[in-house]
Tab-separated table of all heavy atoms in Angstrom:
chain	number	residue	atom	x	y	z
F	7	LYS	N	12.614	3.362	5.547
F	7	LYS	CA	13.284	2.972	4.298
F	7	LYS	C	12.373	2.051	3.488
F	7	LYS	O	11.808	1.088	4.019
F	7	LYS	CB	14.609	2.265	4.627
F	7	LYS	CG	15.353	1.759	3.401
F	7	LYS	CD	15.155	0.283	3.164
F	7	LYS	CE	15.642	-0.187	1.809
F	7	LYS	NZ	15.544	-1.649	1.637
F	10	GLY	N	13.244	-1.692	-3.243
F	10	GLY	CA	12.957	-1.615	-4.675
F	10	GLY	C	11.540	-2.000	-5.069
F	10	GLY	O	10.900	-1.317	-5.874
F	38	SER	N	15.120	3.152	-2.093
F	38	SER	CA	15.965	2.423	-3.052
F	38	SER	C	15.559	2.850	-4.455
F	38	SER	O	14.563	3.549	-4.637
F	38	SER	CB	15.708	0.920	-2.959
F	38	SER	OG	16.100	0.420	-1.735
F	39	ALA	N	16.290	2.339	-5.424
F	39	ALA	CA	15.868	2.508	-6.817
F	39	ALA	C	14.675	1.595	-7.075
F	39	ALA	O	14.486	0.594	-6.379
F	39	ALA	CB	17.018	2.114	-7.734
F	44	THR	N	18.701	-1.035	-10.592
F	44	THR	CA	20.148	-1.121	-10.362
F	44	THR	C	20.756	-2.234	-11.221
F	44	THR	O	21.835	-2.060	-11.803
F	44	THR	CB	20.447	-1.346	-8.865
F	44	THR	OG1	19.697	-0.379	-8.127
F	44	THR	CG2	21.922	-1.179	-8.546
F	45	ASN	N	20.040	-3.363	-11.332
F	45	ASN	CA	20.551	-4.454	-12.196
F	45	ASN	C	20.705	-3.968	-13.633
F	45	ASN	O	21.713	-4.226	-14.287
F	45	ASN	CB	19.572	-5.640	-12.207
F	45	ASN	CG	19.539	-6.348	-10.868
F	45	ASN	OD1	20.426	-6.145	-10.045
F	45	ASN	ND2	18.524	-7.168	-10.649
F	125	GLU	N	18.586	5.587	-7.665
F	125	GLU	CA	18.029	6.194	-6.448
F	125	GLU	C	17.694	7.666	-6.690
F	125	GLU	O	16.746	8.198	-6.096
F	125	GLU	CB	19.019	6.047	-5.285
F	125	GLU	CG	18.913	4.738	-4.493
F	125	GLU	CD	19.359	3.480	-5.214
F	125	GLU	OE1	20.016	3.614	-6.265
F	125	GLU	OE2	19.051	2.373	-4.748
F	187	TYR	N	21.692	3.881	-0.419
F	187	TYR	CA	22.709	3.237	-1.246
F	187	TYR	C	23.839	4.153	-1.698
F	187	TYR	O	24.994	3.788	-1.630
F	187	TYR	CB	21.998	2.602	-2.440
F	187	TYR	CG	22.830	1.901	-3.482
F	187	TYR	CD1	23.677	0.845	-3.150
F	187	TYR	CD2	22.733	2.255	-4.830
F	187	TYR	CE1	24.402	0.180	-4.125
F	187	TYR	CE2	23.450	1.596	-5.809
F	187	TYR	CZ	24.287	0.553	-5.456
F	187	TYR	OH	24.985	-0.097	-6.435
F	200	LYS	N	27.397	-0.653	-1.612
F	200	LYS	CA	27.296	-2.034	-2.108
F	200	LYS	C	25.836	-2.465	-2.227
F	200	LYS	O	24.953	-1.865	-1.645
F	200	LYS	CB	28.066	-3.015	-1.217
F	200	LYS	CG	29.474	-2.563	-0.876
F	200	LYS	CD	30.511	-3.457	-1.539
F	200	LYS	CE	31.866	-2.818	-1.547
F	200	LYS	NZ	32.507	-2.739	-0.254
F	201	ARG	N	25.634	-3.549	-2.988
F	201	ARG	CA	24.277	-4.001	-3.308
F	201	ARG	C	23.437	-4.177	-2.036
F	201	ARG	O	23.913	-4.685	-1.033
F	201	ARG	CB	24.305	-5.318	-4.091
F	201	ARG	CG	24.916	-5.211	-5.483
F	201	ARG	CD	24.319	-4.128	-6.350
F	201	ARG	NE	22.883	-4.169	-6.518
F	201	ARG	CZ	22.259	-4.752	-7.534
F	201	ARG	NH1	22.940	-5.362	-8.462
F	201	ARG	NH2	20.945	-4.688	-7.628
F	202	GLY	N	22.200	-3.746	-2.130
F	202	GLY	CA	21.303	-3.816	-0.972
F	202	GLY	C	21.580	-2.733	0.065
F	202	GLY	O	21.043	-2.756	1.169
F	203	GLY	N	22.427	-1.760	-0.317
F	203	GLY	CA	22.946	-0.796	0.662
F	203	GLY	C	21.966	0.225	1.213
F	203	GLY	O	22.308	0.959	2.146
F	204	SER	N	20.753	0.284	0.674
F	204	SER	CA	19.801	1.269	1.208
F	204	SER	C	19.438	0.988	2.668
F	204	SER	O	19.174	1.914	3.435
F	204	SER	CB	18.521	1.296	0.383
F	204	SER	OG	18.822	1.671	-0.926
F	205	ASP	N	19.438	-0.292	3.051
F	205	ASP	CA	19.191	-0.625	4.465
F	205	ASP	C	20.296	-0.006	5.327
F	205	ASP	O	20.034	0.520	6.417
F	205	ASP	CB	19.244	-2.145	4.704
F	205	ASP	CG	18.281	-2.919	3.838
F	205	ASP	OD1	17.183	-2.406	3.581
F	205	ASP	OD2	18.634	-4.036	3.415
S	511	LIG	N1	19.334	-0.164	-5.428
S	511	LIG	C1	20.409	-0.814	-4.718
S	511	LIG	C2	20.465	-2.290	-5.093
S	511	LIG	O1	19.620	-2.762	-5.847
S	511	LIG	C3	20.349	-0.625	-3.244
S	511	LIG	C4	19.162	-1.243	-2.542
S	511	LIG	O2	18.177	-1.580	-3.179
S	511	LIG	O3	19.212	-1.358	-1.314
S	511	LIG	O4	21.350	-2.969	-4.662
Side-chain angles (χ1 to χ4, degrees):
K7 177 260 168 175
S38 295
T44 311
N45 291 345
E125 273 70 14
Y187 178 57
K200 312 248 164 71
R201 294 307 306 265
S204 298
D205 304 324

